[in-house]
Each structure stands twice: as C-alpha cells, then as structure tokens.
Amino acid sequence: MNFIREKNEIYVLNEENKKIVRATFPFVEKNVINVNHTYVDPSLRGQGVASTLMDEVYNYAKEKGYTVVNSCPYAVAWFKRHPEKSDVLNKDIEVNEACAIL
C-alpha cells in the first residue's frame, strides 16, 4: 500500500483518487496529536489494513517527535493491543470526545 503522509492525516488513494484508507490526527497541543478518526474501505476490512495504518501513524509520530492521544475507539484499542508502542502515548492529556465523523 502506498501511504500518503500529510500534516494531519495519512491515507491511501484508489485508482479514482478516492481515500480508501485514512487516519486523521489534528494537534491538540504543540507536538501532541489526537488520532480522532480511522477508516478502511469495506472491501479491505479484515485484512489487517487498519493495523498497518496505525503502524504508519505510530511511525509518523515517532519520526516527528510527537506524542499521541486517542479519541477514535479503534486507535484506543490498537494501542492497548500493542503495548510495545505505548512510548508515544501522552498520559497527561485526556480526550473525551467521540470518534470524528468525516
């Protein structure tokens, strides 16, 4: 998959330039991003694509020196399943909003 990284999102485009895989993460403070939305096209679900997307988000945060908070339920669950990647989690900021609808 060809992941495209931009300032506040990572995504994959299909042949029609439609985003078929996407994670958004706006800044909540300087150097702190909130993973507030993840999406995988139904045709790709059940193949580990969402987990690969979250790996991309993790790597992006590490490379940029960002810490992460999560309001997307999938992102919360993914970090719980991958405690070895919790080094980027910001434990000082609590986010209470629901997953963004985009």
Side-chain angles (χ1 to χ4, degrees):
M1 288 207 144
N2 183 28
F3 287 95
I4 299 165
R5 294 177 170 192
E6 291 189 355
K7 182 178 178 183
N8 295 105
E9 71 178 324
I10 295 174
Y11 58 92
V12 175
L13 299 174
N14 67 5
E15 303 80 36
E16 292 88 35
N17 284 327
K18 178 184 173 193
K19 292 178 183 175
I20 55 172
V21 176
R22 183 179 190 206
T24 59
F25 39 87
F27 285 96
V28 293
E29 287 187 9
K30 184 177 180 173
N31 296 326
V32 181
I33 57 173
N34 173 21
V35 182
N36 69 343
H37 178 73
T38 57
Y39 171 78
V40 173
D41 187 80
S43 67
L44 298 172
R45 293 180 186 164
Q47 301 174 40
V49 174
S51 186
T52 302
L53 173 64
M54 285 303 301
D55 274 324
E56 284 290 317
V57 171
Y58 169 81
N59 291 333
Y60 180 80
K62 285 282 285 191
E63 290 167 15
K64 297 289 187 180
Y66 299 154
T67 59
V68 176
V69 295
N70 300 294
S71 61
C72 174
Y74 181 80
V76 170
W78 186 86
F79 275 104
K80 285 181 181 175
R81 285 192 312 271
H82 296 88
E84 72 281 5
K85 305 220 173 164
S86 66
D87 59 313
V88 299
L89 293 179
N90 186 311
K91 304 201 184 348
D92 297 326
I93 299 174
E94 194 169 318
V95 180
N96 293 317
E97 62 189 68
C99 190
I101 306 295
L102 302 174

